[in-house]
Amino acid sequence: MTRPTLPTIAITGAGTCCSLGEGRHAILDAMLAGGVAIDGAPAIEGRFAPDADGSAPPVRAAQACEADPVVGATGDRAERLLQRTIATALAEATLDRPTIESMRRSGRRVE
């Protein structure tokens, strides 16, 4: 049985964002320094009723860091974080729009 030929894949950039910071180097540094970024979760929508005896702990979560809002930005918070993370990965890979368009015109697949 012949195996199908798989395309060559190259990962040339990475973008990350979490409660410890933005960018893989900053996150790794925070992890190595013992950083913990789990705290109150104001971004969680809704209200949570306490247990009948009032013993329920507060809602806590790890939330991605937030940056200053961009003038004219659209989308909700999650979309803004995703856009920044993708932009970081593209910058690390040294891929800008003209380069990506040129690669696609030459038949290379860029995702």
Side-chain angles (χ1 to χ4, degrees), residues 42-111:
I44 294 178
E45 296 177 5
R47 296 181 183 270
F48 299 89
D51 289 346
D53 65 1
S55 64
V59 175
R60 294 169 53 86
Q63 299 185 100
C65 55
E66 185 61 85
D68 293 334
V70 176
V71 175
T74 59
D76 64 15
R77 181 174 182 269
E79 289 171 316
R80 291 191 311 272
L81 291 170
L82 178 60
Q83 288 170 350
R84 279 203 333 260
T85 302
I86 291 169
T88 300
L90 290 172
E92 185 173 298
T94 62
L95 290 173
D96 57 11
R97 187 175 302 276
T99 302
I100 292 170
E101 289 171 359
S102 173
M103 292 171 75
R104 287 184 174 152
R105 280 192 302 276
S106 71
R108 294 178 72 185
R109 184 173 166 187
V110 179
E111 300 298 333

